[in-house]
Amino acid sequence: MHAADPPVPDLQALLRTLRVWDTDLPAFDPATAPDAPLPLFLRWFAAAVDAGQPEPHTPSLATTDAEGRADVRTVMLHGADDTHGFRFASHSGSAKGRQLAARPYAALGFYWPVQGRQVRVRGPVRTAPADVAHRDLHARSTGALASALVGHQSQPLASYEELEHASDAAWERARREPDAMAPSWTVYDLAPDEVEFFQGDARRRHIRLKYRRVDGNWLRELLWP
Ligand SMILES: Cc1cc2nc3c(=O)[nH]c(=O)nc-3n(C[C@H](O)[C@H](O)[C@H](O)COP(=O)(O)O)c2cc1C
């Protein structure tokens, strides 16, 4: 440690200042919940946007590697519907891409603290056809295309300058060639077989409603918090 280094913060003191569920939270009556989870997810998602929840479309994505060890990172939600399930996209050669190839099963975790809400989704993951990934990427911003064109995701990077050069070239190509292919860019569709909705409550009487797909039907059950 150097004399000029900022002091190391007292984590325990900071943790004691922080709270959850101490704001006005919406009520959730599970008796009024729909038969299937998707309409409820869409309702909660729209409510999160309305409530000003920053970046409600950025869930955590959990996967496991070939040895069964867990991994997690943030991704962007690209869609959710009855046909494709929960859609996200990434590079097939990244750590998550390799993990999904070895074990095509994943979980998504959304946390919307403005409303004290959490949604957990689990299920098998399928790789969408390449033309879907191509269309998905080209419906997005130039920055998204440039980022995908850089490639090499999750590989060791020798220096920041190397990234700068690759990124400059990718931005230039994305502007010049807006239909450029990013071959490793892949769309993944998670077909939910479990979806759990959690509504936080100031008195800690949190409501947990879990949907499970059994023989093609959705079963609903409440869980102790
Ligand atoms: C807000 C946010 C959104 C992100 N969205 C994506 C995404 O949609 N796809 C993606 O591959 N990485 C996304 N990332 C980067 C990933 O979190 C991660 O760093 C990267 O995909 C490498 O993960 P991996 O080594 O586990 O494969 C996002 C990161 C943040 C913070």
Side-chain angles (χ1 to χ4, degrees):
M1 187 160 151
H2 301 285
D5 283 348
V8 176
D10 179 345
L11 177 62
Q12 290 306 319
L14 280 177
L15 288 174
R16 281 193 294 274
T17 67
L18 299 173
R19 296 283 174 271
V20 284
W21 309 307
D22 70 347
T23 55
D24 267 345
L25 298 174
F28 171 49
D29 179 1
T32 64
D35 293 341
L38 188 66
L40 186 55
F41 175 82
L42 297 176
R43 244 180 256 159
W44 275 31
F45 189 87
V49 173
D50 266 1
Q53 171 62 55
E55 304 184 6
H57 60 317
T58 58
S60 298
L61 167 72
T63 50
T64 49
D65 66 18
E67 287 77 44
R69 294 174 306 187
D71 205 351
V72 69
R73 79 291 288 159
T74 309
V75 294
M76 221 109 76
L77 183 70
H78 287 220
D81 62 38
D82 281 324
T83 311
H84 305 105
F86 288 74
R87 175 165 276 188
F88 56 92
S90 188
H91 289 280
S92 56
S94 67
K96 79 183 86 47
R98 285 178 276 121
Q99 289 160 2
L100 286 169
R103 293 190 174 225
Y105 198 94
L108 289 167
F110 296 85
Y111 177 43
W112 297 321
V114 168
Q115 294 174 299
R117 286 178 169 176
Q118 169 181 253
V119 182
R120 299 162 62 179
V121 184
R122 304 175 76 200
V125 175
R126 280 206 194 166
T127 300
D131 62 304
V132 172
H134 190 71
R135 280 200 304 276
D136 173 88
L137 183 57
H138 291 92
R140 304 175 84 77
S141 62
T142 306
L145 175 58
S147 165
L149 289 172
V150 168
H152 305 293
Q153 191 180 54
S154 310
Q155 291 174 21
L157 172 69
S159 70
Y160 182 70
E161 288 69 40
E162 202 179 325
L163 170 60
E164 278 184 319
H165 286 136
S167 172
D168 284 347
W171 273 93
E172 203 268 314
R173 182 163 173 223
R175 289 195 190 98
R176 178 170 37 86
E177 212 186 313
D179 205 35
M181 294 284 281
S184 65
W185 189 250
T186 304
V187 163
Y188 296 98
D189 290 330
L190 188 163
D193 50 30
E194 287 182 17
V195 185
E196 186 203 307
F197 295 84
F198 176 112
Q199 174 63 67
D201 173 77
R203 292 164 303 170
R204 304 318 194 244
R205 297 179 200 172
H206 313 307
I207 292 172
R208 294 179 65 190
L209 176 66
K210 181 163 179 170
Y211 290 77
R212 275 187 302 128
R213 199 199 285 277
V214 178
D215 299 331
N217 296 313
W218 285 108
L219 296 187
R220 276 181 296 176
E221 62 192 350
L222 295 175
L223 300 176
W224 285 82

